[in-house]
Amino acid sequence: MHVPIARSLVSAAIAGVAALSLTAQPAAAATFPASHPRVLVEYDREAGQQPENVVVTPDGKLNVVLSRAAQIQEVAPGGHRRLLASLPQPADGGVNTPALGFNLATGLVRTDDGTLYVGYATGDDTLTGIWRIRPGGKPQRVIPLSASSLPNGMALDERTGRLFIADSTRGIIWRAPITGGTPTAWASGAAYEPTSQLGVNGLKVHKGAVWVSNSAQGVLLRVPIKPDGSAAPAQPRATGLPFLDDFEFVGHSDDVVGALNIANEVALIHPEDGSHSITLTGEDGLRGPTSVALRGTRLYVLSAAFVLDAKPNILTTHFHRGHDRA
């Protein structure tokens, strides 16, 4: 997730985008393994409909977090949209939300029974944390976090029934039972902290480890889960990834599709050797990508247009899986 954190940082981000557009070679259309991109949905930025995170349901629909609107929406494969839930708005508009100055819905997890867990940063001790939404039910905060936290990427360790939560402003990975309760700090330190803008951001559990991006540091980290459940030291697996936001693993391999928000690109990252290549750019319809989801040979990219003056959207593209390394 990337947001305009302060006026000076927004200016710097916009300048960075402008510099990229002036110095980079003209972008080609989608390159392997992506092909035939198209915009599935366009959103109303003024209404806060800035898509932030996504999960794909078993029947191929998308559950999408609309960040500033604090809503969760269902998007059908043909683009039809249905509102699933709205989180309560803070009375002050979230002016005390750390780094932002406005409330923001962020990470998303869906369990097999259709229950959703949504991260919410509000600058309010009574609202900030993880909210649970049962099918047809009302949102309920089940994991409280302090007003100084900015919960962001989130994933479920299905072996233990625990959620891992990236706190972007405090540089902490929290852990809590999915049933709810007070979280504990599972990992913290310099590797997770923001050097500017946001620190730990996207997060996934994969092959016995927590993988997390540090957006400010431009790095993808692997944090092994020890047999006793504690965190081993963080292992940098790829660097030089400008504002890496959310990401998704390609099948059972360690290869990652990642959203490079400020660069307005999607990259295929190979943690085996730390290399990466660009597979989608603004020329393909990206508008500041924040998250990705991969189902079969279909890749979905959410662009929240936090920095770019453009319409937020969801892009869909064919994704060739022949390179999937087991």
Side-chain angles (χ1 to χ4, degrees):
M1 184 272 293
H2 173 68
V3 292
I5 294 173
R7 287 187 178 89
S8 60
L9 293 177
V10 173
S11 299
I14 293 173
V17 172
L20 282 168
S21 65
L22 288 172
T23 60
Q25 295 297 316
T31 56
F32 188 84
S35 65
H36 302 96
R38 64 180 178 87
V39 173
L40 177 65
V41 173
E42 282 194 332
Y43 283 104
D44 183 353
R45 183 180 178 183
E46 297 304 314
Q49 295 179 343
Q50 294 171 276
E52 164 61 23
N53 216 305
V54 60
V55 294
V56 184
T57 67
D59 60 356
K61 296 177 181 176
L62 306 180
N63 290 165
V64 175
V65 176
L66 300 180
S67 54
R68 295 192 69 171
Q71 295 175 340
I72 299 86
Q73 190 178 79
E74 178 187 85
V75 181
H80 176 75
R81 291 172 274 171
R82 180 172 70 95
L83 181 65
L84 297 178
S86 297
L87 300 177
Q89 296 281 348
D92 62 3
V95 295
N96 295 313
T97 303
L100 310 182
F102 53 83
N103 56 295
L104 199 82
T106 55
L108 184 67
V109 164
R110 185 183 188 275
T111 57
D112 290 340
D113 64 357
T115 300
L116 298 173
Y117 294 82
V118 185
Y120 197 28
T122 67
D124 184 321
D125 284 325
T126 68
L127 294 176
T128 299
I130 309 304
W131 289 68
R132 181 175 63 206
I133 306 166
R134 299 189 189 279
K138 295 182 178 180
Q140 176 188 13
R141 189 175 74 151
V142 293
I143 300 173
L145 288 168
S146 73
S148 61
S149 288
L150 200 159
N152 208 333
M154 179 168 55
L156 172 64
D157 183 355
E158 295 183 352
R159 299 174 304 170
T160 63
R162 291 176 174 172
L163 286 170
F164 288 92
I165 306 150
D167 191 329
S168 293
T169 51
R170 297 178 65 185
I172 296 172
I173 298 177
W174 300 100
R175 186 176 66 173
I178 198 167
T179 51
T182 301
T184 58
W186 184 73
S188 60
Y192 309 99
E193 294 172 354
T195 53
S196 64
Q197 303 183 346
L198 304 180
V200 284
N201 195 331
L203 186 150
K204 295 289 187 290
V205 176
H206 178 72
K207 293 184 180 179
V210 172
W211 294 64
V212 64
S213 64
N214 185 315
S215 294
Q217 297 184 30
V219 63
L220 177 66
L221 301 169
R222 179 181 182 269
V223 189
I225 303 172
K226 293 181 178 180
D228 65 0
S230 62
Q235 304 168 348
R237 298 304 300 272
T239 59
L241 299 164
F243 215 98
L244 175 62
D245 201 319
D246 195 15
F247 57 89
E248 177 76 283
F249 285 95
V250 181
H252 296 292
S253 76
D254 286 348
D255 288 347
V256 165
V257 184
L260 305 182
N261 184 277
I262 292 178
N264 199 32
E265 296 171 336
V266 169
L268 179 61
I269 304 164
H270 303 293
E272 181 179 334
D273 59 12
S275 66
H276 73 274
S277 58
I278 303 303
T279 187
L280 292 168
T281 71
E283 188 171 294
D284 301 304
L286 300 181
R287 299 294 181 263
T290 55
S291 60
V292 296
L294 187 60
R295 179 179 174 86
T297 59
R298 182 58 50 184
L299 175 67
Y300 298 93
V301 183
L302 277 61
S303 289
F306 280 119
V307 173
L308 298 178
D309 184 14
K311 288 184 178 180
N313 67 24
I314 299 177
L315 189 78
T316 181
T317 180
H318 183 78
F319 191 87
H320 301 267
R321 296 288 292 268
H323 73 292
D324 187 345
R325 303 180 227 178

